[in-house]
Amino acid sequence: MPVILAKYMGDYVGQEVTLQGWVRLKRKHGKIRFVELRDGSAFVQCVFIKGETSDQAMEDFKKLTQESSIEVTGVVQQNPRDGSYELLVKEMKIYQISEPFPITPKEHGIDFLMDHRHLWLRSKRQWAILRVRAEIIKACRDFFDERDFVLVDSPILTPNAAEGSTTLFKTDYFGETAYLTQSGQLYSEAAIAAFKKVYCFGPTFRAEKSKTRRHLMEFWMVEPEMAFATLEDVMNLAEEFVEYIVARVLDKRMEELKILERDISKLEKIKRPFIRMTYTEAVEQLHKLGSDIVWGDDFGGDDETILTKQYDKPILVHRFPASFKAFYFELDKENPELALGVDVLAPEGYGEIVGGGERSADIKHLLEKIREEGIPEENYKWYLDLRRYGSVPHGGFGLGIERTVAWICGLHHVRETIPWPRMLNRLYP
Ligand code: 4AD
Ligand code: MG
C-alpha cells in the first residue's frame, strides 16, 4: 500500500492507502470509533467500524493514548457532510503507546508550555504558525530571487558591531574577541560592489535586556542591499516586499490562518501605497494622540502601538534624528540632524517590522561615529575601504521574520513565531 501524506488524500478517493502519524485524540460514537490522526501534513479522521476494520485493530484501538505513534491502512472516503477526507481503517500497526502526554486539551500556563516547547510544537496552533513562518521565509527568498538579488551569506561570528555596542553577545575567538552578528548589513554593503543587488538571510543576535512581546535574543532577518540606491528606492522596495509577503500567505496559507482565527479582512487591506510620514510628523501626531514623546527620542513600543492603530495599512516613518540611529546612516542634506532612515510599522499595534535606509558615503563622518561607539577602529578598516574604491549611493533594510509572523498570524507575542525562542532568562529547551 502506498504510504501517503494525509494532505494528498483527495487524490486517492476509493483507494487503499497507508498513513503514518500520531493520535491527536480518540473517541467513540455508538459502535463506531474515531482517531484524529496528525501526520504533519494535515489532521485527518480515521474511522474504525466492526466488520470493516480487522478484529485486531478494533482490539488495539482500546490501547491508544494521546500521541501514540501508529500506521493505519484503509480506504479513503469523502465525508458527504463537509467534503473532508477520512480513512476507513482496515489494519493498524502500533509503533509506540505514548506515556501520558503532558500537554492535554485543557488550558496550560505559558511557562509550562515554554518548558515543554519540544512537545508543544505538535499542537494545532503551533503547527499553523510555523507553517506560516515557513511560507513567509519562502516568499522572502522568491521575492529577491525574482528581482535579480543575489544571496550572499554574511558571517555569524564577527569582530564588528553593526547596531551599537550595548547589545552584543561576546565570545572568545582563540584569544580575540568575537561577537554574534547583530546584522549582516555591513557585509552586504561590501557584496553589492561585486553583485549590485544582494540579500543575506540568517539568524541575528541581540543581547537585549528588555522583556517585551517584540524582543528575542535570537531572531531571523532578511536584509537586501542595493548599489546606486537612495532612501526613496529603499522605501519603494520595502513597500513592495511587505505587500508581496502578505499576498503570498493569503494565497497559500488560508487554512492555517483559519486555525489561528485571523481576521483575514485586515490582511486583505495591505496594498500599496502605504502611509508615509517623517519622524517629525509622527511625533506631532503622537502628541495629538496623548503621547509625551519628546522630539529626539526614539519611539517606545507604546508610541508605535498608538500610531499604527490609526491606520489599516503599514506606515513608513522616515528621516529620524541621527542622534539615536546607528553609525552608518547618510544624513539629510537639507537638515544634517536627520538620518536618512526608514522604519516600516505594521498595523493593529504591531509596530516596527523593518528598519533600514541610505548609507553614509563620508569616511570622516563614519569614523567619528565609530569612535563615539567606542569600538576598536581597526575592525572597521575593511568597511571604510568600501568608501575608497568605487563608492556609490546605496541602501537597504532588514525585515525581522518573527515580528512579521506575529503580525500576519495575529499573535500577541513573538515567542510563538520561532520554533525555539531565545528570550531573556530562557535558553531551555
Ligand atoms: O532596525 P534594525 O536594528 O536594523 C538593522 O539591523 C539593520 N542593520 C538592517 C539593515 O538595514 N540591513 O533591525 C531590523 C529588524 C527590525 O525592524 C525588527 O523587525 C527586527 O529586525 N528586530 C528584532 N526582532 C526580534 N527581536 C529583536 N530583538 C529584534 N531587533 C530587531
Ligand atoms: Mg530598528
Side-chain angles (χ1 to χ4, degrees), residues 110 114 117 120 126 213 215-216 402 406 411-421 423:
I110 188 67
M114 290 304 258
R117 183 66 175 161
W120 187 25
Q126 301 308 310
R213 66 195 185 96
H215 287 91
L216 292 163
E402 290 73 20
L411 309 177
H412 172 69
H413 199 293
V414 288
R415 66 189 158 215
E416 290 176 67
T417 63
I418 184 163
W420 312 103
M423 302 190 300

Side-chain angles (χ1 to χ4, degrees), residues 77-143:
Q77 297 181 331
Q78 190 164 23
N79 188 327
R81 271 178 294 121
D82 59 3
S84 66
Y85 301 101
E86 49 184 41
L87 194 79
L88 176 56
V89 177
K90 305 263 174 208
E91 297 292 346
M92 172 166 67
K93 171 175 164 186
I94 294 175
Y95 283 85
Q96 196 227 352
I97 294 295
S98 175
E99 292 177 28
F101 196 61
I103 302 176
T104 56
K106 67 162 208 215
E107 291 274 315
H108 295 284
I110 188 67
D111 279 331
F112 179 88
L113 290 170
M114 290 304 258
D115 284 342
H116 292 84
R117 183 66 175 161
H118 52 298
L119 305 178
W120 187 25
L121 286 181
R122 305 179 191 192
S123 81
K124 208 169 197 170
R125 263 180 70 80
Q126 301 308 310
W127 177 86
I129 294 166
L130 293 180
R131 281 170 61 95
V132 172
R133 175 191 171 97
E135 192 64 52
I136 289 174
I137 289 174
K138 179 149 170 32
C140 292
R141 294 193 181 284
D142 289 346
F143 179 87

Side-chain angles (χ1 to χ4, degrees), residues 299 304 307-308 313-317 343-347 351-353:
F299 295 140
E304 291 183 4
L307 195 61
T308 59
K313 290 187 189 205
I315 310 171
L316 281 77
V317 181
D343 280 1
V344 180
L345 312 182
E352 183 191 338
I353 53 169

